[in-house]
């Protein structure tokens, strides 16, 4: 079977993906970010155009089930912005779902079935009515996810989160699909990798999102040594530390031999931080402001590997027929 990258507008060859922002949200509604909803197709589309103009040709839409996804609208934005978009199936950490949410009661087998259907058959038009009409692109084809996601808390893994991690691990082991794991403040990384490894999931398939919220290059090299991908997505969060801290950490990982494990994204995630919604710094910040400084620190070749080669390798898999 030939490896492809599954985008919202169909499967593409890995070398067609180009320069990638590995972690963003075009649509997102969660009780944890009340008042910061990303729910307007026109504005989210305008932000995607700005990202494309800044140099990205591909992006991962990292919003999982139950948090305001709009797959058909995402497909329309992909076409308008001339931007390859890989959509996500899976779930977030438990805190993003209100008590009693149907997802919280799903069994391991049920979650595996849910995620497999979205990878292989198609995503629903609305998460609150999964049996409603399928999300379709402009050619009438189903919009399918190309990535599995689960999340855990800060140095904690609830029963629901454990089940979700096991579900994405099992499904990745069966299909080869890529995985993103949300780490809260970069914690519990080894513990999550242990869980995934026990399912048979290849750790080469796994991107650890927010690993840079704990900018410890020594730890990152340990995780890379286990095969995991390192998701740096904390640029422009100057209330925590300057961008130079992340650039220094990235440079140390590169110097330590971990360049092929690195992924770079923005995870801007809030309407108050999207220019098209009236905020700042916007999705283009990563490529306009952060990437030039990174290139100066580590060189053009390493930067290209981080932005192009690595995401293409991570996102490529061979979906089983049927």
């Amino acid at each position: 079977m030939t490896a492809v990258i599954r985008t919202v507008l169909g499967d593409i060859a890995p070398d067609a993906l180009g320069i990638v922002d590995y972690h963003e949200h075009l649509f997102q509604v969660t009780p944890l970010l009340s008042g910061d909803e990303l729910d307007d197709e026109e504005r989210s589309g305008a932000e995607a155009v700005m990202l494309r103009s800044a140099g990205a040709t591909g992006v991962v839409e990292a919003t999982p089930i139950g948090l305001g996804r709009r797959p058909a609208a995402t497909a329309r934005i992909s076409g308008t912005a001339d931007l390859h978009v890989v959509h996500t199936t899976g779930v977030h950490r438990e805190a993003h779902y209100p008590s009693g949410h149907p997802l919280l009661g799903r069994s391991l087998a049920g979650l595996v079935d849910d995620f497999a259907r979205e990878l292989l058959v198609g995503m629903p038009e609305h998460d609150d009515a999964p049996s409603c009409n399928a999300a379709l692109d402009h050619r009438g084809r189903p919009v399918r996810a190309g990535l599995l996601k689960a999340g855990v808390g800060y140095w904690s893994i609830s029963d629901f989160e454990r089940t979700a991690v096991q579900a994405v691990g099992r499904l990745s082991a069966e299909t080869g699909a890529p995985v993103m794991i949300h780490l809260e403040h970069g914690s519990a990384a080894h513990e999550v990798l242990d869980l995934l490894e026990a399912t048979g999931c290849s750790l080469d398939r796994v991107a650890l999102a927010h690993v840079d919220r704990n900018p410890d290059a020594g730890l990152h090299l340990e995780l890379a040594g286990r095969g995991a991908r390192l998701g740096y997505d904390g640029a422009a969060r100057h209330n925590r530390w300057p961008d130079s801290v992340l650039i220094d950490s990235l440079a140390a990982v590169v110097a330590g031999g971990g360049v092929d494990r690195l992924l770079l994204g923005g995870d801007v995630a809030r309407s108050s931080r999207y220019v098209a919604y009236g905020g700042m710094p916007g999705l283009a910040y990563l490529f306009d402001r952060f990437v030039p400084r990174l290139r100066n620190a580590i060189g053009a070749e390493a930067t290209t590997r981080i932005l192009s080669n690595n995401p293409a390798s991570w996102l490529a898999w061979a979906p089983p027929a049927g």
Side-chain angles (χ1 to χ4, degrees):
M1 293 184 289
T2 302
V4 298
I5 292 171
R6 179 149 286 177
T7 80
V8 293
L9 295 181
D11 296 345
I12 63 172
D15 60 5
L17 189 61
I19 297 171
V20 180
D21 180 335
Y22 103 98
H23 189 161
E24 297 293 358
H25 300 267
L26 295 175
F27 296 98
Q28 180 173 258
V29 179
T30 165
L32 292 190
L33 296 172
S34 179
D36 251 330
E37 291 80 9
L38 295 167
D39 56 5
D40 185 288
E41 181 175 347
E42 182 177 354
R43 294 182 191 182
S44 292
E47 196 74 31
V49 169
M50 287 184 256
L51 176 63
R52 178 68 178 88
S53 297
T57 56
V59 64
V60 170
E61 213 300 8
T63 306
I65 298 172
L67 299 183
R69 299 181 307 171
R70 294 179 59 187
T74 299
R76 289 191 291 270
I77 289 171
S78 174
T80 301
D82 188 26
L83 187 68
H84 296 301
V85 181
V86 177
H87 214 310
T88 301
T89 186
V91 292
H92 216 311
R93 65 188 179 98
E94 185 169 349
H96 280 277
Y97 301 99
S99 177
H101 193 285
L103 278 172
L104 300 180
R106 294 291 279 163
S107 67
L108 173 60
L111 290 178
V112 170
D113 287 346
D114 293 342
F115 304 162
R117 183 170 54 252
E118 296 201 346
L119 281 177
L120 304 178
V121 180
M123 306 170 75
E125 183 73 32
H126 301 290
D127 282 338
D128 55 359
S131 61
C132 72
N133 293 335
L136 303 176
D137 67 14
H138 65 286
R139 289 167 288 192
R141 302 185 307 181
V143 178
R144 294 182 289 190
L147 173 70
L148 295 159
K149 183 175 181 177
V152 300
Y154 178 66
W155 283 117
S156 66
I157 304 175
S158 71
D159 289 343
F160 167 72
E161 292 163 354
R162 183 178 302 272
T163 300
V165 171
Q166 291 170 333
V168 302
R170 178 181 296 184
L171 193 51
S172 180
E174 293 174 359
T175 65
V179 173
M180 176 187 289
I181 300 292
H182 168 98
L183 300 178
E184 191 71 1
H185 303 301
S187 67
H190 278 298
E191 288 76 6
V192 165
L193 294 183
D194 291 343
L195 272 176
L196 289 167
E197 206 164 38
T199 69
C201 176
S202 170
L203 299 188
D204 175 73
R205 300 280 72 218
V206 179
L208 299 172
H210 319 316
V211 73
D212 61 332
R213 310 298 164 87
N214 175 21
D216 180 343
L219 170 62
H220 299 175
L221 285 167
E222 289 178 7
L223 299 170
R226 296 186 65 177
R229 315 274 179 158
L230 307 172
Y232 274 65
D233 46 40
R237 286 170 170 79
H238 302 157
N239 59 331
R240 297 177 181 175
W241 40 65
D243 285 350
S244 59
V245 170
L246 302 187
I247 292 169
D248 289 346
S249 185
L250 282 159
V253 172
V254 171
V259 64
D260 290 331
R261 301 291 92 194
L262 290 166
L263 300 166
L264 192 63
D267 187 33
V268 183
R270 294 161 173 78
S271 60
S272 60
R273 301 182 68 218
Y274 279 53
V275 171
Y277 282 80
M280 63 175 73
L283 300 190
Y285 177 94
L286 182 70
F287 292 93
D288 285 344
R289 307 269 286 276
F290 188 87
V291 167
R293 294 182 61 190
L294 178 63
R295 188 178 291 110
N296 286 338
I298 66 173
E301 180 183 357
T303 303
T304 296
R305 288 163 74 176
I306 293 169
L307 291 174
S308 297
N309 304 55
N310 295 354
S313 172
W314 168 54
L315 291 169
W317 60 299

